[in-house]
Amino acid sequence: MRIARSLPALIAALSFAAVPLPSPAQFTVGVGFTVGSPPPPIPYYSVPPAPYPNYQWTPGYWGYGSAGYYWTPGVWVAPAAVGLYWTPGYWGASGGGYGWNAGYWGPSVGFYGGINYGGGYGGVGFVGGTWAGGAFRYNTAVVNVNRTYVHNTYVNKTVINNNHYNNSHVSYNGGHGGISAKPTSAQMEARRNGRAPTTAQRDQARFAGNDRNQLASVNKGKPTLTASNKPFSDTNKPPNNAPVTSADRANAQKTMKTSNNGAMNKAPTTANKAPTSNNKAPTTNNNKAPTSSNTMQSAHKTPTTTNKAPATHKQPPSSMQTHRQPQSHPQSAPKPQGGQRPPSGSMQGKPPSGGGGGGKPPSGGNANGKPPRG
């Protein structure tokens, strides 16, 4: 896995998220950056009532910006299109770093790392409601609704009791202390064919990331603003918001360098061992076998001598591999990588364009050389 060496490089890697999707039906999956330290736990909070018919709950999550981790409050938004469900994004650990797998819209709720986001997203699938005849029916055993505008409801506690849920507040998948859930191949395929987050979702993340009160470094992982009734916008900014300072960014830069150095020191070493044959390296100091980051093949032996071949340099982890995913019920399958790329047009923290609208309900269809001889 390649660890981002500087905060500016990380932010540059994120900037592609604002580019509109060439096709709303598909997007590519993968991220080109990782963070060396894990995100804080998911805070506990209550989900506000659904404001309008068909609006979908999008859980809060830890995004990452110029000043480090920040909490993006959960919010109700219009879906990208009638009949689509939201699959939350999640952080995945791999090789000592943590990469973001962006959320997406699709005909079913896919894999979201086994993370317990609440609001019907307990780690597996979604039980907050279902589409029926072009209208969304809310399961009020799980979510609340504004009874003035929303009347299409039902109560089903059985589906909650019969499903397995993750009761922890761990916010990442894999690695030390992470959730061990794995996606199926079908879920990864579903992710590849998902639709990017909407403009309202992207704005929610943008405004949250610019409010220093939402920074984990400021709130110590316990934000006071955990959810909002409507998506943030120029006319609906976070209450009591304060701009992120240069000191906040400098602190994040310092923290990133420290955590990334630690991640690099954890690079795997098994692939870089020196040959174990009985042949020895040359005896003269000027003719020692040079070190290399490539493993020497066993077919090529070093000349005999009384001195052992010097150990080779350790390699940093290779670039993060991308996996694709989504689902309804995760099953044992390929291990998710720490950095599945988000939808082009979406972002870790910055959802993409689509339909959304803060206030009015959606109208309908709104990601080997031989060693030298002595």
Side-chain angles (χ1 to χ4, degrees):
M1 171 186 294
R2 180 170 52 199
I3 306 296
R5 294 305 183 93
S6 68
L7 204 53
L10 173 61
I11 303 307
L14 295 178
S15 63
F16 79 93
V19 179
L21 295 178
S23 169
Q26 293 184 335
F27 56 78
T28 57
V29 179
V31 290
F33 74 95
T34 62
V35 179
S37 59
I42 300 293
Y44 175 82
Y45 63 95
S46 298
V47 176
Y52 302 111
N54 294 352
Y55 268 46
Q56 304 288 296
W57 175 246
T58 57
Y61 61 93
W62 289 104
Y64 198 93
S66 63
Y69 284 111
Y70 63 90
W71 178 253
T72 300
V75 66
W76 291 93
V77 299
V82 170
L84 299 184
Y85 297 87
W86 175 246
T87 296
Y90 69 95
W91 289 94
S94 179
Y98 301 84
W100 176 250
N101 303 276
Y104 61 92
W105 294 96
S108 63
V109 175
F111 183 74
Y112 48 96
I115 310 303
N116 179 10
Y117 283 113
Y121 295 95
V124 179
F126 174 66
V127 295
T130 184
W131 287 96
F136 190 80
R137 300 184 63 215
Y138 297 86
N139 180 6
T140 53
V142 177
V143 297
N144 193 7
V145 300
N146 184 330
R147 299 286 181 174
T148 301
Y149 301 102
V150 181
H151 307 288
N152 199 13
T153 64
Y154 67 99
V155 178
N156 187 351
K157 296 181 179 180
T158 303
V159 68
I160 302 173
N161 297 330
N162 289 346
N163 276 271
H164 170 71
Y165 291 97
N166 160 37
N167 293 320
S168 78
H169 290 269
V170 174
S171 60
Y172 59 94
N173 177 278
H176 179 70
I179 304 300
S180 60
K182 300 177 181 179
T184 65
S185 57
Q187 290 166 345
M188 290 188 288
E189 180 68 17
R191 165 174 285 272
R192 185 168 65 245
N193 295 319
R195 295 183 65 165
T198 65
T199 298
Q201 291 173 291
R202 188 163 61 239
D203 286 346
Q204 183 78 352
R206 178 167 61 89
F207 280 95
N210 290 327
D211 181 3
R212 78 182 305 265
N213 295 317
Q214 299 303 109
L215 297 177
S217 60
V218 173
N219 58 46
K220 308 306 179 185
K222 297 180 179 180
T224 55
L225 179 61
T226 52
S228 61
N229 292 323
K230 295 180 180 180
F232 297 140
S233 66
D234 290 330
T235 58
N236 182 42
K237 296 181 180 179
N240 304 316
N241 69 306
V244 174
T245 68
S246 57
D248 294 326
R249 297 187 180 92
N251 181 60
Q253 177 75 74
K254 180 179 179 181
T255 300
M256 172 177 277
K257 287 181 178 179
T258 301
S259 59
N260 283 347
N261 287 337
M264 294 294 287
N265 290 334
K266 295 178 182 179
T269 59
T270 55
N272 299 304
K273 293 182 179 180
T276 57
S277 65
N278 291 327
N279 294 326
K280 309 296 182 179
T283 57
T284 62
N285 290 332
N286 295 329
N287 293 313
K288 290 183 179 180
T291 58
S292 169
S293 59
N294 298 320
T295 304
M296 290 190 281
Q297 297 186 359
S298 58
H300 302 294
K301 311 293 184 177
T302 53
T304 59
T305 182
T306 58
N307 296 325
K308 294 183 179 180
T312 57
H313 293 305
K314 295 181 181 178
Q315 265 183 330
S318 61
S319 292
M320 201 166 37
Q321 308 245 341
T322 61
H323 272 187
R324 315 196 173 208
Q325 60 222 48
Q327 58 294 317
S328 299
H329 299 288
Q331 305 168 12
S332 178
K335 182 177 181 180
Q337 298 295 315
Q340 295 172 344
R341 286 190 297 257
S344 95
S346 77
M347 88 161 274
Q348 89 76 348
K350 292 187 180 181
S353 61
K360 296 183 181 179
S363 59
N366 282 54
N368 286 345
K370 302 179 182 178
R373 300 172 181 261

